[in-house]
Amino acid sequence: MAKQSDAFVLRKLRAAEGYLELDMPDQALQELDQIEDPGPYELEEKRLRGEALKAQSKYEEAAEWLQQAAVMFPFPHGRQVWQSLSECLRETGRDSLADAAETNAALLEKAEKVLTDL
C-alpha cells in the first residue's frame, strides 16, 4: 500500500479537530482512523484521539492516548494535554495521578509565562 502523503494526514487531523470543536467525537475518530501512519504528526494524532475519547466519556482509554501525547510535547508546551489527562484520571478514580498531571500542567503554565516574559 502506498504511503499516505503529509497533506492527506494533515487534512484528516484538521477535520478531526474541526469535528471536536463541533462536539462530534465519533466523526473525529472516523477521520483519525483513516490515518495509517501519522509520521511526524504522531503527537497531534494521539492528542486528538485522546480528546475525542474523553468527549465520549471513555476516560480510561482517553487517558492512555493523552499520556502518550503529554510526554511527547517539547518543553514548555503541552499544558492543555496534561490538564485534560488530569481530568480523565480523576474521572477514573486515580486522584493521586490526576494531581500529579495537574501539577505538571501548572508548572508548564508558569514556565510558558516566564519564557514569554523574557
Side-chain angles (χ1 to χ4, degrees):
M1 182 175 281
K3 181 184 182 305
Q4 295 172 329
S5 69
D6 283 357
F8 174 85
V9 172
L10 287 170
R11 244 186 342 269
K12 294 300 172 185
L13 292 172
R14 277 193 294 257
E17 189 158 33
Y19 281 126
L20 285 174
E21 288 173 8
L22 295 170
D23 196 27
M24 300 171 72
D26 294 341
Q27 291 81 353
L29 287 169
Q30 287 174 4
E31 294 293 331
L32 295 170
D33 286 344
Q34 294 179 49
I35 300 172
E36 295 171 7
D37 178 9
Y41 309 104
E42 180 181 10
L43 185 157
E44 188 64 5
E45 189 264 343
K46 290 177 185 298
R47 182 188 73 80
L48 290 170
R49 191 173 294 279
E51 293 293 349
L53 291 164
K54 179 184 172 197
Q56 292 179 324
S57 300
K58 295 179 179 176
Y59 301 113
E60 193 74 42
E61 195 174 348
E64 292 175 25
W65 288 99
L66 290 168
Q67 181 183 13
Q68 291 176 42
V71 298
M72 291 176 75
F73 264 95
F75 179 82
H77 307 290
R79 179 188 59 79
Q80 184 55 45
V81 176
W82 282 103
Q83 186 61 45
S84 195
L85 173 60
S86 172
E87 293 163 7
C88 288
L89 291 168
R90 203 163 304 288
E91 287 290 335
T92 61
R94 296 183 282 176
D95 291 337
S96 60
L97 288 174
D99 291 343
E102 198 169 297
T103 298
N104 281 349
L107 290 172
L108 287 172
E109 183 176 24
K110 287 179 185 177
E112 286 174 346
K113 184 173 173 80
V114 166
L115 292 173
T116 302
D117 292 343
L118 289 179

Coordinates of all heavy atoms in Angstrom, one line a residue, residues 70-111:
A70 N 1.2 13.7 26.1 CA 1.7 14.6 27.0 C 3.2 14.5 27.1 O 3.9 15.5 27.2 CB 1.1 14.4 28.4
V71 N 3.7 13.3 27.2 CA 5.2 13.1 27.3 C 5.9 13.4 26.0 O 7.2 13.6 26.1 CB 5.5 11.7 27.9 CG1 4.9 11.5 29.2 CG2 5.1 10.6 26.9
M72 N 5.2 13.5 24.9 CA 5.9 13.8 23.7 C 6.0 15.3 23.4 O 6.9 15.7 22.6 CB 5.1 13.2 22.5 CG 5.1 11.7 22.4 SD 4.0 11.1 21.1 CE 5.0 11.4 19.7
F73 N 5.2 16.1 24.1 CA 5.3 17.6 23.9 C 6.6 18.1 24.3 O 7.1 17.8 25.4 CB 4.2 18.3 24.7 CG 3.0 18.6 23.9 CD1 1.9 17.7 23.9 CD2 2.9 19.7 23.1 CE1 0.8 18.0 23.1 CE2 1.8 20.0 22.3 CZ 0.7 19.2 22.3
P74 N 7.3 19.0 23.5 CA 8.5 19.6 24.0 C 8.3 20.6 25.0 O 7.2 21.3 25.0 CB 9.0 20.2 22.7 CG 7.8 20.5 21.8 CD 6.8 19.4 22.2
F75 N 9.2 20.8 25.9 CA 9.1 21.8 27.0 C 9.1 23.1 26.3 O 9.9 23.4 25.4 CB 10.3 21.6 27.9 CG 10.3 22.6 29.1 CD1 9.5 22.4 30.2 CD2 11.1 23.8 29.0 CE1 9.5 23.3 31.2 CE2 11.1 24.7 30.0 CZ 10.3 24.5 31.1
P76 N 8.3 24.1 26.8 CA 7.4 24.1 27.9 C 6.0 24.0 27.4 O 5.1 24.5 28.1 CB 7.6 25.5 28.5 CG 7.8 26.4 27.2 CD 8.6 25.5 26.2
H77 N 5.7 23.3 26.4 CA 4.3 23.2 25.8 C 3.6 21.9 26.4 O 4.2 21.1 27.0 CB 4.4 23.1 24.3 CG 5.2 24.3 23.7 ND1 4.7 25.6 23.8 CD2 6.4 24.4 23.2 CE1 5.6 26.4 23.2 NE2 6.6 25.7 22.9
G78 N 2.4 21.8 26.1 CA 1.6 20.6 26.5 C 0.8 20.8 27.7 O 0.2 19.8 28.2
R79 N 0.7 22.0 28.2 CA -0.1 22.3 29.4 C -1.5 21.8 29.3 O -2.1 21.1 30.2 CB -0.1 23.8 29.7 CG -0.9 24.1 31.0 CD -1.1 25.6 31.2 NE -1.8 26.2 30.1 CZ -3.1 26.2 29.9 NH1 -3.9 25.6 30.7 NH2 -3.6 26.8 28.8
Q80 N -2.2 22.0 28.2 CA -3.6 21.6 28.0 C -3.7 20.1 27.9 O -4.7 19.6 28.5 CB -4.2 22.3 26.7 CG -5.6 22.0 26.5 CD -6.5 22.4 27.7 OE1 -6.4 23.5 28.2 NE2 -7.4 21.5 28.1
V81 N -2.8 19.4 27.4 CA -2.8 18.0 27.3 C -2.7 17.4 28.7 O -3.4 16.5 29.1 CB -1.8 17.4 26.4 CG1 -1.8 15.9 26.4 CG2 -2.0 17.9 25.0
W82 N -1.8 17.9 29.5 CA -1.6 17.5 30.9 C -2.9 17.7 31.7 O -3.3 16.9 32.5 CB -0.4 18.1 31.6 CG 0.9 17.5 31.2 CD1 1.8 18.0 30.3 CD2 1.4 16.3 31.6 NE1 2.8 17.2 30.2 CE2 2.6 16.1 31.0 CE3 1.0 15.3 32.5 CZ2 3.4 15.0 31.2 CZ3 1.7 14.2 32.7 CH2 3.0 14.0 32.1
Q83 N -3.6 18.9 31.5 CA -4.8 19.2 32.2 C -5.9 18.2 31.8 O -6.6 17.7 32.6 CB -5.2 20.7 31.9 CG -6.4 21.1 32.7 CD -6.2 21.1 34.2 OE1 -5.1 21.5 34.7 NE2 -7.1 20.5 34.9
S84 N -6.0 18.0 30.5 CA -7.0 17.0 30.0 C -6.8 15.6 30.6 O -7.7 14.9 31.0 CB -7.0 17.0 28.5 OG -8.1 16.4 28.0
L85 N -5.5 15.2 30.6 CA -5.1 13.9 31.2 C -5.5 13.9 32.7 O -6.1 12.9 33.1 CB -3.6 13.7 31.1 CG -3.1 12.5 31.8 CD1 -3.7 11.2 31.2 CD2 -1.5 12.4 31.6
S86 N -5.3 15.0 33.4 CA -5.7 15.0 34.8 C -7.2 14.8 35.0 O -7.6 14.1 35.9 CB -5.3 16.4 35.4 OG -5.8 16.6 36.7
E87 N -8.0 15.4 34.1 CA -9.4 15.3 34.2 C -9.9 13.9 33.9 O -10.8 13.3 34.6 CB -10.1 16.2 33.2 CG -9.9 17.7 33.5 CD -10.2 18.7 32.4 OE1 -10.7 18.2 31.3 OE2 -9.9 19.9 32.6
C88 N -9.2 13.2 33.0 CA -9.6 11.8 32.7 C -9.2 10.9 33.9 O -9.9 10.0 34.2 CB -8.9 11.3 31.4 SG -9.6 12.0 29.9
L89 N -8.0 11.1 34.4 CA -7.6 10.3 35.5 C -8.5 10.5 36.7 O -8.8 9.5 37.4 CB -6.1 10.7 35.9 CG -5.1 10.3 34.9 CD1 -3.7 10.9 35.2 CD2 -4.9 8.8 34.8
R90 N -8.9 11.7 37.0 CA -9.8 12.0 38.1 C -11.2 11.2 37.9 O -11.7 10.7 38.8 CB -10.1 13.5 38.2 CG -10.5 13.8 39.6 CD -10.4 15.3 40.0 NE -9.1 15.9 39.8 CZ -8.0 15.7 40.6 NH1 -8.1 14.9 41.6 NH2 -6.9 16.3 40.4
E91 N -11.6 11.2 36.6 CA -12.9 10.5 36.3 C -12.8 9.0 36.5 O -13.8 8.3 36.7 CB -13.3 10.8 34.8 CG -13.8 12.2 34.6 CD -15.2 12.4 35.2 OE1 -16.0 11.5 35.4 OE2 -15.5 13.6 35.5
T92 N -11.6 8.5 36.4 CA -11.4 7.0 36.6 C -11.0 6.7 38.1 O -10.6 5.6 38.4 CB -10.3 6.5 35.7 OG1 -9.1 7.1 35.9 CG2 -10.8 6.7 34.2
G93 N -11.0 7.7 38.9 CA -10.7 7.5 40.4 C -9.3 7.5 40.7 O -8.9 7.1 41.8
R94 N -8.4 7.8 39.8 CA -7.0 7.8 40.1 C -6.5 9.3 40.5 O -5.8 9.9 39.8 CB -6.2 7.3 38.9 CG -6.5 5.8 38.6 CD -5.8 5.2 37.5 NE -6.3 5.7 36.3 CZ -5.8 5.4 35.1 NH1 -4.7 4.7 35.0 NH2 -6.4 5.8 34.0
D95 N -7.0 9.7 41.7 CA -6.8 11.1 42.1 C -5.4 11.5 42.3 O -5.0 12.6 42.0 CB -7.6 11.3 43.4 CG -9.1 11.3 43.1 OD1 -9.5 11.5 42.0 OD2 -9.9 11.1 44.1
S96 N -4.5 10.6 42.8 CA -3.1 11.0 43.0 C -2.4 11.2 41.7 O -1.6 12.1 41.6 CB -2.4 9.9 43.9 OG -2.4 8.7 43.3
L97 N -2.7 10.3 40.7 CA -2.1 10.6 39.4 C -2.7 11.8 38.7 O -2.0 12.6 38.1 CB -2.4 9.3 38.5 CG -1.5 8.1 38.8 CD1 -2.0 6.9 37.9 CD2 -0.1 8.4 38.6
A98 N -4.0 12.0 39.0 CA -4.6 13.3 38.4 C -4.0 14.5 39.0 O -3.7 15.5 38.3 CB -6.1 13.3 38.7
D99 N -3.7 14.4 40.3 CA -3.0 15.6 41.0 C -1.6 15.8 40.4 O -1.2 17.0 40.2 CB -2.9 15.3 42.5 CG -4.2 15.4 43.2 OD1 -5.2 15.9 42.7 OD2 -4.2 14.9 44.4
A100 N -0.9 14.7 40.1 CA 0.4 14.9 39.5 C 0.4 15.5 38.1 O 1.2 16.4 37.8 CB 1.1 13.5 39.5
A101 N -0.6 15.0 37.3 CA -0.8 15.6 36.0 C -1.2 17.1 36.0 O -0.7 17.9 35.3 CB -1.8 14.8 35.2
E102 N -2.0 17.4 37.0 CA -2.4 18.8 37.2 C -1.2 19.7 37.6 O -1.1 20.8 37.2 CB -3.5 18.8 38.2 CG -4.3 20.1 38.2 CD -5.6 20.0 39.1 OE1 -6.4 19.2 38.8 OE2 -5.6 20.8 40.1
T103 N -0.4 19.1 38.4 CA 0.8 19.8 38.9 C 1.7 20.1 37.6 O 2.3 21.2 37.5 CB 1.6 19.0 39.9 OG1 0.8 18.9 41.1 CG2 2.9 19.7 40.3
N104 N 1.9 19.1 36.8 CA 2.7 19.3 35.6 C 2.1 20.4 34.7 O 2.8 21.2 34.2 CB 2.7 18.0 34.7 CG 3.8 17.0 35.3 OD1 4.6 17.4 36.1 ND2 3.7 15.8 34.8
A105 N 0.7 20.4 34.6 CA 0.1 21.5 33.8 C 0.3 22.8 34.4 O 0.7 23.8 33.7 CB -1.4 21.2 33.7
A106 N 0.3 22.9 35.7 CA 0.5 24.2 36.4 C 2.0 24.7 36.2 O 2.2 25.9 35.9 CB 0.1 24.1 37.8
L107 N 2.9 23.7 36.3 CA 4.3 24.1 36.1 C 4.6 24.5 34.7 O 5.3 25.5 34.5 CB 5.2 22.9 36.5 CG 5.2 22.6 38.0 CD1 6.0 21.3 38.2 CD2 5.9 23.7 38.8
L108 N 4.0 23.9 33.7 CA 4.2 24.3 32.3 C 3.6 25.6 32.1 O 4.1 26.4 31.3 CB 3.6 23.2 31.4 CG 4.4 21.9 31.3 CD1 3.6 20.9 30.5 CD2 5.7 22.2 30.7
E109 N 2.5 25.9 32.7 CA 1.8 27.2 32.5 C 2.8 28.3 33.1 O 3.0 29.4 32.4 CB 0.5 27.3 33.3 CG -0.2 28.6 33.1 CD -1.6 28.6 33.7 OE1 -1.8 27.8 34.6 OE2 -2.4 29.4 33.2
K110 N 3.4 28.1 34.2 CA 4.3 29.0 34.8 C 5.6 29.2 33.9 O 6.1 30.3 33.7 CB 4.8 28.6 36.2 CG 3.7 28.8 37.2 CD 4.1 28.3 38.6 CE 3.0 28.4 39.6 NZ 3.4 27.9 40.9
A111 N 6.1 28.1 33.4 CA 7.2 28.1 32.5 C 7.0 28.9 31.2 O 7.8 29.7 30.8 CB 7.7 26.7 32.2

